[in-house]
Amino acid sequence: MIQITLHNTQTRQKEVLEPIKSDDVSMYVCGPTVYDRAHLGNARPVIIFDTLFRLLRHVYGEDHVTYVRNFTDVDDKINARAAETGKSIREITDGTIKLYLDDMDAVGAMHPNHMPRATEYIEQMVAMSADLIEKGFAYEAEGHVLFAVESYADYGKFSGRSIEDMIAGSRVEVAPYKRNPMDFVLWKPSDENTPGWDSPWGKGRPGWHIECSAMANELLGESFDIHGGGNDLTFPHHENEIAQSKCVGHGFANIWMHNEMLQVEGKKMSKSLGNFFTVRDLLDQGVPGEVIRLVMLGTHYRKPMDWTEQKRAEAERTLRHWHSQIDGIVAADTPDPEVVAALADDLNTHKAIQRLHALSRARDFAGLKASADLLGLLTDALGDWVATSWGGGHDHTQIMEVESWLRAARNAAKLSGDYTDVDRLKSAARGAGLDVQMGKDTVDLKPTQGFDAEKLYAISRKGA
């Protein structure tokens, strides 16, 4: 069997995946809080762990992998959104879950085996909180149940921080009922305007951290193989998950995986910088979900990922070319061994994509199709955008050739100051019915309704 190695945040080194059950693999990934549409950064862990899901299914078999990704549908942000809009909390969470799944479907993400909602596991959260009190790791105070961080000797070990450092470097809720400022909430009281459930401590609702511990235990057992999420969850969320789960006697996750954050054109994505957008924003602007996926996979998951217009244009050209090559081709029975090996080496998607380029150049189209499918690319479900945007039947290779000539002409013009060849090629391309889009570092040609294949052919015959 293929050996898979993954970087374990907990041990800070790569480890061989050795499933607890030799023939079955289990994975839990923290999902969204459902009050608004997923922004582009939210799509990164979805695409990354979807690719790992595909690899695990390839290696162990489809029926031997269990993947859980939750929905947080009880949260103060959801309550605030309900108050803002006048909609019920259930309306907001149901609607947001549907939009989220629509957007993740668009980027080629398979549905996990289980997608639990936190509100369906309140009983388990109450039981775990009560168990922590009984064992001396948590306490009740003014209708709250709090985990006592000083009761767990290894608290902070996962994220590499001392309690003193965490207090100094974090925003902690200072409350008179807390024994230690770092003690975190397992259960909190609800008023008449806030969702609540009965508990031994009165009507209330769970804290954020307890939900993942309870749902993972219920669906995957006391110990499971892989826990994933963005590295912004390392502390406090995952630190707290480990503490409460270990203290009730669960082994919890063997391997922890965290993806780095996303940037846009070299800067952190934020509304204040005007570079914040959702997955749906890109889709509505005409960026295909498959293009979003390829850009995301082009950077190793443990490195910061920079979304740029240049990467988008290059990914779109690459996918158009690959789709033209596999048109009518039956996929090979198995993906290319080098692609599998790259993914098995800590999910090295960048290296796997480089191998796809090599298969394309070698004209191994059957191998290209089977191997790309392992990364969720060139699938039947995602390929419709090519035929729609190109109008069908166009010569992709010739269009890409003209694009390369335009790029070369512009690069030369920047040095010489003479843009005659650039203008000539732009004019000829438009005369052939191509829409010419030139960014700072990109050249993108797209056929319009007036596309004329013969004129394109004449341009390609003349050359640059």
Side-chain angles (χ1 to χ4, degrees):
M1 182 175 288
I2 297 164
Q3 179 176 280
I4 297 174
T5 59
L6 302 169
H7 186 272
N8 190 348
T9 305
Q10 192 158 230
T11 60
R12 292 159 177 77
Q13 62 185 10
K14 284 205 292 190
E15 296 180 3
V16 176
L17 174 62
E18 297 178 339
I20 296 167
K21 298 178 182 177
S22 60
D23 294 330
D24 296 284
V25 184
S26 48
M27 178 169 68
Y28 186 98
V29 175
C30 290
T33 300
V34 285
Y35 68 98
D36 208 348
R37 294 208 84 128
H39 61 69
L40 187 60
N42 298 143
R44 192 178 191 198
V46 173
I47 292 170
I48 286 164
F49 290 104
D50 174 70
T51 306
L52 179 56
F53 184 37
R54 292 169 183 270
L55 174 66
L56 294 172
R57 283 161 56 99
H58 172 71
V59 173
Y60 290 92
E62 293 182 7
D63 297 331
H64 294 274
V65 183
T66 304
Y67 174 21
V68 179
R69 187 184 67 222
N70 73 294
F71 289 113
T72 296
D73 63 341
V74 53
D75 185 86
D76 289 345
K77 291 178 180 177
I78 299 171
N79 302 339
R81 185 57 54 90
E84 272 175 33
T85 61
K87 293 182 180 179
S88 72
I89 285 171
R90 189 73 186 196
E91 276 183 288
I92 290 170
T93 56
D94 283 355
T96 306
I97 287 172
K98 183 183 184 306
L99 294 175
Y100 178 86
L101 291 176
D102 287 347
D103 291 347
M104 297 308 111
D105 288 348
V107 297
M110 299 169 64
H111 287 195
N113 302 99
H114 302 282
M115 294 187 284
R117 299 171 64 132
T119 52
E120 297 169 348
Y121 293 83
I122 300 294
E123 182 180 340
Q124 290 85 344
M125 297 178 211
V126 169
M128 184 174 283
S129 300
D131 193 13
L132 286 165
I133 292 176
E134 184 178 343
K135 290 175 175 168
F137 296 104
Y139 59 95
E140 180 189 358
E142 299 182 20
H144 295 76
V145 177
L146 298 122
F147 184 91
V149 296
E150 290 180 322
S151 69
Y152 178 53
D154 285 339
Y155 191 77
K157 184 178 179 181
F158 179 72
S159 55
R161 313 177 189 200
S162 68
I163 291 178
E164 291 74 21
D165 290 340
M166 288 185 275
I167 292 173
S170 305
R171 295 179 183 176
V172 297
E173 181 187 357
V174 178
Y177 50 79
K178 285 188 174 185
R179 295 176 186 172
N180 182 305
M182 289 304 301
D183 291 350
F184 59 88
V185 173
L186 302 174
W187 189 263
K188 54 188 173 183
S190 296
D191 59 29
E192 60 182 16
N193 298 317
T194 311
W197 291 262
D198 292 333
S199 80
W201 319 288
K203 181 187 175 186
R205 60 198 190 279
W208 175 32
H209 313 298
I210 193 72
E211 66 178 61
C212 288
S213 289
M215 289 188 283
N217 177 62
E218 185 71 15
L219 294 168
L220 298 177
E222 294 183 0
S223 298
F224 55 96
D225 298 309
I226 302 167
H227 194 314
N231 68 355
D232 57 325
L233 300 179
T234 306
F235 179 84
H237 188 49
H238 291 163
E239 186 79 64
N240 293 349
E241 278 188 61
I242 290 171
Q244 63 204 11
S245 295
K246 294 284 188 181
C247 287
V248 295
H250 298 169
F252 213 45
N254 281 354
I255 293 178
W256 288 80
M257 296 176 65
H258 291 89
N259 64 274
E260 259 286 359
M261 295 295 98
L262 176 134
Q263 300 174 325
V264 176
E265 301 289 351
K267 296 180 181 179
K268 182 179 178 181
M269 187 169 69
S270 70
K271 291 180 180 178
S272 63
L273 293 174
N275 65 351
F276 179 94
F277 43 87
T278 66
V279 174
R280 180 50 52 181
D281 289 336
L282 284 179
L283 296 171
D284 288 346
Q285 291 166 17
V287 180
E290 189 176 21
V291 171
I292 296 173
R293 186 179 185 98
L294 180 57
V295 173
M296 291 278 189
L297 293 178
T299 301
H300 191 274
Y301 77 92
R302 289 197 298 112
K303 293 182 179 179
M305 192 263 141
D306 192 15
W307 176 274
T308 67
E309 173 59 20
Q310 182 176 358
K311 287 181 180 178
R312 180 215 60 78
E314 289 173 353
E316 186 167 330
R317 281 194 297 273
T318 294
L319 287 167
R320 289 185 193 281
H321 183 52
W322 286 352
H323 273 289
S324 72
Q325 290 181 315
I326 66 162
D327 187 30
I329 298 293
V330 176
D333 292 336
T334 58
D336 179 76
E338 290 187 40
V339 171
V340 177
L343 295 180
D345 180 15
D346 196 26
L347 211 62
N348 193 336
T349 53
H350 175 76
K351 186 175 182 180
I353 289 170
Q354 294 308 303
R355 180 58 184 165
L356 295 185
H357 282 289
L359 293 172
S360 168
R361 290 192 296 270
R363 305 185 66 80
D364 181 0
F365 303 144
L368 173 63
K369 187 172 184 178
S371 303
D373 185 79
L374 187 58
L375 283 88
L377 299 167
L378 306 187
T379 65
D380 292 340
L382 288 186
D384 288 348
W385 66 273
V386 177
T388 301
S389 61
W390 287 72
H394 301 134
D395 192 324
H396 301 238
T397 302
Q398 288 180 1
I399 291 177
M400 291 178 69
E401 197 171 42
V402 176
E403 283 180 344
S404 71
W405 293 339
L406 254 177
R407 282 194 296 275
R410 184 172 63 178
N411 290 338
K414 286 179 179 178
L415 296 174
S416 68
D418 182 359
Y419 282 80
T420 303
D421 283 344
V422 176
D423 293 338
R424 175 180 61 80
L425 283 168
K426 283 168 63 176
S427 177
R430 287 174 177 143
L434 295 171
D435 176 36
V436 180
Q437 299 177 10
M438 299 182 73
K440 181 181 177 182
D441 299 304
T442 62
V443 174
D444 202 8
L445 304 181
K446 295 183 179 180
T448 66
Q449 288 186 341
F451 174 74
D452 189 323
E454 291 185 6
K455 288 183 178 179
L456 173 67
Y457 180 66
I459 299 172
S460 67
R461 285 293 299 274
K462 290 179 182 177

